[in-house]
């Protein structure tokens, strides 16, 4: 390899050394080296460590959030149904260890208990935003430790927010618009129409168009499936046009023809969950889990968490450059903040000392005055 790299005329070698920024030279190998196994090594390491994925389900009580989660992951998650008597919005988090083939997944499902049940819904979004920020803050604190254990740290940051929209067939509620607007810069928001079998097919098409129009007009940025990778660009581009997904959840299995399928039985007929002519459940499962789960994780880290981290560090006074646009090291920033803190501390100490001296003088004057009064009385 070294002989190949040094081959050619001296002028060529000198020109390469003088202009390294023009690109790397392609060097043919005389035989197999073995670094082409790096992807396999990475896969084996990732599989041995396992993966984590955290889903936030936001929606009013009774829209089928728990049922949809059971249907998505083909299991029965333990949990108690929420009531409509909650005084405020509470977030309930449950973590499960799932195994499919030889791949382990630590799945966390966070549900918004009591969302939309209060008469005054003005601040219903606040506990959700605070919860998301708390997970970012926990990760940031782990990052800032001297001895970090990020490889063993349970990442609780929310990777995907499934926002459940009631199948009204008319328009989005003010609660929905306000909440999604508050969440779109903090989490990957994927709107879905819950219990979509409650409205007709023609009404559903109009409802989707109405929702999309309202989201755009109100500046709500929902998650778009990435189209950069050629391998998934076509399917993701097609699926983006189907948002929001109209879904139905059911863990009940019925016999249709010669096979058992997940379905909902009604007096007028049967709705099959995995029949794409009936709903978009298969589209949601494919896009959320099979195709874009890693992109959701990456977007959470590189976009939403980085935004939180940057704002938090700027609030603490850390910057990348000084007023002259020159690089500003972390150590210099820390020392400057430390000196500033010590200066303020000394200033407060001096003010307290001066105040103490002043009070002592006032007390001495009072005592002298009292002593004079006593002498005059004698």
């Amino acid at each position: 390899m070294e002989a190949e790299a040094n081959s050619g005329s001296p002028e060529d070698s000198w020109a390469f050394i003088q202009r390294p920024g023009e690109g790397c030279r392609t060097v043919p190998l005389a035989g197999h080296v073995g670094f082409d196994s790096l992807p396999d090594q990475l896969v084996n390491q990732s599989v041995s460590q396992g993966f984590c994925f955290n889903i936030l389900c936001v929606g009013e009580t009774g829209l089928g959030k728990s049922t949809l989660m059971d249907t998505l992951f083909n299991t029965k998650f333990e949990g108690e149904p929420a009531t409509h008597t909650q005084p405020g919005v509470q977030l309930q988090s449950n973590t499960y260890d799932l195994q499919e083939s030889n791949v382990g997944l630590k799945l966390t499902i966070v549900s918004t208990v009591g969302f939309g049940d209060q008469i005054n819904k003005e601040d219903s979004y606040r506990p959700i935003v605070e919860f998301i920020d708390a997970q970012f803050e926990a990760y940031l604190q782990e990052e800032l430790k001297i001895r970090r254990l990020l490889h063993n740290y349970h990442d609780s940051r929310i990777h995907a927010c499934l926002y459940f929209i009631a199948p009204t067939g008319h328009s989005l509620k003010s609660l929905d618009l306000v909440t999604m607007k508050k969440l779109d810069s903090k989490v990957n928001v994927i709107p879905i129409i819950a219990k979509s079998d409650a409205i007709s097919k023609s009404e559903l098409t109009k409802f989707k168009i109405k929702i999309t129009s309202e989201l755009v007009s109100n500046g709500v940025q929902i998650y778009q499936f990435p189209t950069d990778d050629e391998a998934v660009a076509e399917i993701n581009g097609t699926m983006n046009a189907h948002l929001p997904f109209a879904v139905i959840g059911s863990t009940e299995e019925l016999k249709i023809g010669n096979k058992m399928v997940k379905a909902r039985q009604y007096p007028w007929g049967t709705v099959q969950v995995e029949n794409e002519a009936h709903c978009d459940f298969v589209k949601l499962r494919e896009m959320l889990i099979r195709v874009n789960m890693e992109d959701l994780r990456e977007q959470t880290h590189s976009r939403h968490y980085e935004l939180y981290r940057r704002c938090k560090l700027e609030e603490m006074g850390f910057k990348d450059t000084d007023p002259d646009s020159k690089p500003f090291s972390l150590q210099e920033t820390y020392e400057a903040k430390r000196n500033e803190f010590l200066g303020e501390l000394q200033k407060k100490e001096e003010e307290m000392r001066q105040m103490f001296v002043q009070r002592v003088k006032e007390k001495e004057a009072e005592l002298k005055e009292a002593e004079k009064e006593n002498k005059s009385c004698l």
Side-chain angles (χ1 to χ4, degrees):
M1 289 176 61
E2 184 177 353
E4 291 287 346
N6 293 330
S7 62
S9 63
E11 292 80 9
D12 292 341
S13 299
W14 176 251
F16 176 68
I17 295 172
Q18 288 294 99
R19 299 189 298 272
E22 293 184 356
C24 298
R25 294 165 60 184
T26 302
V27 181
L29 303 178
H32 183 260
V33 177
F35 57 77
D36 59 351
S37 67
L38 272 172
D40 297 330
Q41 296 176 38
L42 182 61
V43 168
N44 293 335
Q45 182 182 15
S46 298
V47 169
S48 64
Q49 292 177 349
F51 302 88
C52 73
F53 192 63
N54 308 318
I55 300 178
L56 170 64
C57 298
V58 181
E60 298 176 45
T61 307
L63 287 180
K65 299 186 292 294
S66 300
T67 303
L68 183 65
M69 290 298 102
D70 293 347
T71 313
L72 270 176
F73 292 94
N74 198 25
T75 188
K76 180 65 177 176
F77 296 117
E78 298 177 359
E80 297 180 358
T83 64
H84 291 269
T85 58
Q86 296 293 334
V89 180
Q90 299 177 358
L91 278 85
Q92 191 177 74
S93 177
N94 294 292
T95 302
Y96 311 92
D97 290 317
L98 305 181
Q99 187 82 17
E100 187 174 31
S101 299
N102 64 330
V103 179
L105 179 68
K106 187 178 288 292
L107 175 69
T108 299
I109 299 175
V110 183
S111 184
T112 52
V113 180
F115 182 78
D117 289 342
Q118 296 74 38
I119 296 175
N120 184 3
K121 303 178 178 63
E122 184 178 357
D123 294 330
S124 294
Y125 68 88
R126 198 175 301 277
I128 305 173
V129 172
E130 291 174 353
F131 179 86
I132 296 173
D133 285 344
Q135 313 317 307
F136 285 153
E137 181 65 24
Y139 192 89
L140 178 61
Q141 291 302 321
E142 182 67 27
E143 254 191 347
L144 295 177
K145 287 182 180 178
I146 297 175
R147 294 186 177 181
R148 300 185 298 177
L149 298 173
L150 291 175
H151 61 286
N152 289 329
Y153 176 75
H154 173 52
D155 188 0
S156 59
R157 295 173 297 176
I158 300 299
H159 300 123
C161 170
L162 295 182
Y163 195 94
F164 289 68
I165 300 170
T168 61
H170 299 293
S171 60
L172 288 171
K173 300 178 181 179
S174 299
L175 174 65
D176 299 329
L177 287 171
V178 171
T179 305
M180 280 192 275
K181 184 62 179 175
K182 295 291 183 180
L183 294 179
D184 64 0
S185 62
K186 296 180 176 295
V187 69
N188 302 310
V189 178
I190 303 175
I192 58 176
I193 302 171
K195 295 186 174 181
S196 61
D197 53 339
I199 54 179
S200 66
K201 199 166 186 177
S202 60
E203 289 176 335
L204 183 59
T205 302
K206 295 177 182 177
F207 192 33
K208 282 189 174 186
I209 296 172
K210 182 68 174 177
I211 291 173
T212 304
S213 174
E214 290 183 343
L215 291 176
V216 172
S217 61
N218 287 276
V220 179
Q221 301 291 326
I222 64 172
Y223 174 74
Q224 294 289 314
F225 304 118
T227 55
D228 300 332
D229 187 356
E230 294 182 359
V232 295
E234 184 177 354
I235 184 173
N236 279 350
T238 303
M239 291 299 113
N240 281 330
H242 284 278
L243 288 171
F245 292 134
V247 298
I248 303 167
S250 176
T251 55
E252 181 183 0
E253 291 193 348
L254 300 175
K255 188 172 183 180
I256 306 295
N258 295 325
K259 62 179 182 178
M260 301 297 291
V261 297
K262 290 183 175 63
R264 299 186 74 91
Q265 184 72 51
Y266 295 100
W268 45 262
T270 303
V271 178
Q272 300 177 36
V273 173
E274 296 178 323
N275 188 334
E276 294 192 50
H278 293 182
C279 71
D280 297 330
F281 172 80
V282 173
K283 295 183 177 68
L284 174 64
R285 185 177 60 189
E286 292 288 296
M287 292 295 99
L288 180 67
I289 300 174
R290 190 180 69 84
V291 180
N292 297 300
M293 180 180 280
E294 181 56 32
D295 184 74
L296 288 162
R297 285 156 41 93
E298 176 61 27
Q299 285 290 322
T300 298
H301 181 78
S302 62
R303 180 186 169 198
H304 301 296
Y305 170 70
E306 283 299 318
L307 176 61
Y308 176 86
R309 177 180 175 275
R310 186 183 72 197
C311 294
K312 197 71 175 179
L313 293 179
E314 287 177 350
E315 287 177 7
M316 297 167 63
F318 293 98
K319 297 179 181 179
D320 292 329
T321 58
D322 60 13
D324 299 327
S325 298
K326 294 181 180 179
F328 210 48
S329 70
L330 184 64
Q331 181 178 353
E332 291 175 352
T333 306
Y334 169 75
E335 290 177 354
K337 296 297 292 183
R338 183 173 182 272
N339 293 333
E340 181 183 346
F341 173 75
L342 291 176
E344 292 179 357
L345 186 62
Q346 290 176 357
K347 183 179 179 181
K348 289 182 179 179
E349 287 179 353
E350 182 64 23
E351 290 176 354
M352 292 178 67
R353 190 181 69 81
Q354 293 291 344
M355 187 180 299
F356 178 75
V357 171
Q358 182 66 26
R359 288 184 177 179
V360 169
K361 289 181 179 180
E362 291 175 356
K363 196 66 177 178
E364 287 178 348
E366 290 177 2
L367 291 173
K368 288 181 180 179
E369 187 68 26
E371 187 177 355
K372 288 181 181 179
E373 291 179 358
N374 290 335
K375 287 182 179 179
S376 63
C377 291
L378 293 174

